[in-house]
Amino acid sequence: MQVLINGEQQTIEEGITIQDLVMSLTQLKNRRVVVAQNGVIIPKSQYQATIVCVGDSIDVIEAVGGG
């Protein structure tokens, strides 16, 4: 199915959760991220229960610290 991930059209499998999507983005494994689905921030506690739907716009932002 087609979704937008960080502004780029991508094809992902149907029924995938936010958790599965983040884990599939290899550059983000073991990193702290914030995920928004259609402009709404999803709490990390809801990643496994939140399904990505056709046409969704998903923004994945990596948390970066520094001083």
Side-chain angles (χ1 to χ4, degrees):
M1 72 179 171
Q2 295 292 310
V3 297
L4 282 177
I5 301 176
N6 291 340
E8 293 184 21
Q9 191 77 25
Q10 295 193 26
T11 301
I12 62 171
E13 64 184 83
E14 283 191 44
I16 194 169
T17 65
I18 294 290
Q19 180 71 39
D20 295 334
L21 178 64
V22 170
M23 293 306 292
S24 73
L25 299 172
T26 56
Q27 72 273 21
L28 295 176
K29 282 187 179 175
N30 301 317
R31 305 250 177 122
R32 293 174 47 181
V33 297
V34 173
V35 180
Q37 181 179 33
N38 301 317
V40 177
I41 294 176
I42 306 298
K44 188 168 184 158
S45 63
Q46 295 297 310
Y47 283 9
Q48 192 60 38
T50 305
I51 304 294
V52 179
C53 299
V54 173
D56 275 354
S57 176
I58 306 294
D59 294 303
V60 182
I61 300 129
E62 182 178 5
V64 179

